[in-house]
Amino acid sequence: MKVGIYPGSFDPVTKGHLDIIERSSKMVDRLIVAVLNNNAKSPLFSVKERVNMLKEVTKEIDNVVIDSFSGLLVDYAEKNHANIIVRGLRAVTDFEYELQMAQTNRIMDNNVDTIFLTTSLQYAYLSSSIVKEVAINNGDVSKFVPEYVVEQIQKKLNIS
Ligand code: PNS
């Protein structure tokens, strides 16, 4: 069984993430979307809220499971018998950081390979940070995130 992991912060999940989830889920038997539980960052949504949003927006995709992890990604991958890490590449600016992570992970565990999917063009500009900035300044984020996430952002920021 081919198990892939799509790790990230997903604070919150965007249509760009969803596009990567839909496409990569077709390449593996089981795709684990894993939310990093990282105390160092100060997120808008808790890990539990992010996991719930991911569950809601991926509920139609049978082979996708949502989870969270802390510690090293390669350790989490090994525990879950996954040897494929999926990441999306939006632009050349992502490349250096992604290459560094992929190479570090592979040196730590050479059973793990990272595959990169280029983000669909209509989402190439998108990031969770930009979505948060637009939302905090009362902008409409419905083009950037699924409807359910729009509602959760509005709740969180007390916007009606
Ligand atoms: O969505 P993000 O914030 O760009 O995702 C980054 C993530 C979660 C993939 C990365 O920070 C990660 O894998 N963290 C876990 C710790 C780890 O394994 N670090 C070593 C790899 S460089």
Side-chain angles (χ1 to χ4, degrees):
M1 180 149 128
K2 226 188 288 171
V3 182
I5 296 183
Y6 179 33
S9 303
F10 304 107
D11 183 39
V13 54
T14 67
K15 288 187 178 178
H17 294 132
L18 199 52
D19 170 57
I20 298 289
I21 294 171
E22 281 164 357
R23 286 159 56 208
S24 60
S25 66
K26 294 182 187 136
M27 299 172 180
V28 293
D29 299 304
R30 181 171 138 101
L31 181 71
I32 305 171
V33 181
V35 179
L36 175 66
N37 198 340
N38 181 355
N39 299 329
K41 284 191 179 177
S42 51
L44 179 62
F45 291 99
S46 69
V47 171
K48 200 170 159 214
E49 290 169 328
R50 284 179 266 159
V51 164
N52 283 342
M53 281 188 277
L54 276 159
K55 279 188 179 161
E56 181 63 33
V57 302
T58 60
K59 64 183 179 201
E60 315 267 276
I61 318 173
D62 288 342
N63 65 336
V64 169
V65 291
I66 314 296
D67 193 14
S68 61
F69 76 105
S70 35
L72 286 180
L73 179 59
V74 286
D75 292 339
Y76 177 76
E78 195 188 339
K79 230 185 296 164
N80 287 279
H81 310 289
N83 47 18
I84 299 167
I85 294 170
V86 176
R87 293 285 289 172
L89 268 187
R90 288 166 303 188
V92 72
T93 43
D94 284 340
F95 186 73
E96 242 178 276
Y97 170 60
E98 293 298 334
L99 186 69
Q100 190 181 23
M101 277 205 297
Q103 288 176 333
T104 308
N105 285 334
R106 182 138 181 87
I107 285 168
M108 290 193 288
D109 183 348
N110 66 7
N111 292 312
V112 174
D113 257 309
T114 302
I115 62 166
F116 295 104
L117 298 195
T118 51
T119 309
S120 294
L121 236 115
Q122 72 263 41
Y123 305 126
Y125 61 92
L126 249 187
S127 72
S128 298
S129 319
I130 291 286
V131 168
K132 282 182 278 190
E133 188 163 330
V134 172
I136 286 164
N137 290 290
N138 300 314
D140 174 12
V141 291
S142 59
K143 289 202 175 92
F144 312 141
V145 296
E147 189 51 39
Y148 181 76
V149 178
V150 174
E151 290 162 17
Q152 301 313 303
I153 292 175
Q154 288 172 339
K155 255 196 226 164
K156 177 68 71 180
L157 299 176
N158 281 321
I159 307 168
S160 54

